[in-house]
Amino acid sequence: MKVDVRQMSDRLAQDPAISDYDVWRALKSLEDELYEIENRRRPIPMDLIFARAILRRTQKNRNQF
């Protein structure tokens, strides 16, 4: 599965149905989950890494508009 971080984040950043708070909340929840995984010394799924990259870029793109 190829994940296009730029394309997905651009779509999310331009979606009027998604608020800045929704993006922030999703990123916060993901960061909390990654913290728990790291504390348990478990392997971090790549899907979560891509999701974090997409949400961070979305947040950055929204701040530019």
Side-chain angles (χ1 to χ4, degrees):
M1 172 173 98
K2 185 176 187 299
V3 177
D4 188 350
V5 173
R6 177 178 288 159
Q7 181 183 21
M8 291 180 78
S9 62
D10 287 347
R11 273 195 219 156
L12 284 174
Q14 295 173 4
D15 189 342
I18 300 171
S19 70
D20 290 344
Y21 178 77
D22 292 333
V23 174
W24 177 82
R25 188 71 244 168
L27 185 56
K28 175 75 170 121
S29 296
L30 184 59
E31 292 288 353
D32 290 345
E33 185 174 347
L34 287 169
Y35 177 79
E36 288 298 320
I37 291 170
E38 188 176 343
N39 273 351
R40 292 183 180 144
R41 298 183 183 266
R42 307 293 302 163
I44 297 174
M46 287 302 296
D47 292 348
L48 295 182
I49 301 298
F50 284 119
R52 180 173 57 183
I54 290 165
L55 289 172
R56 282 183 176 170
R57 188 175 176 105
T58 298
Q59 195 173 46
K60 180 182 172 191
N61 288 347
R62 283 179 160 265
N63 290 335
Q64 291 177 353
F65 292 126

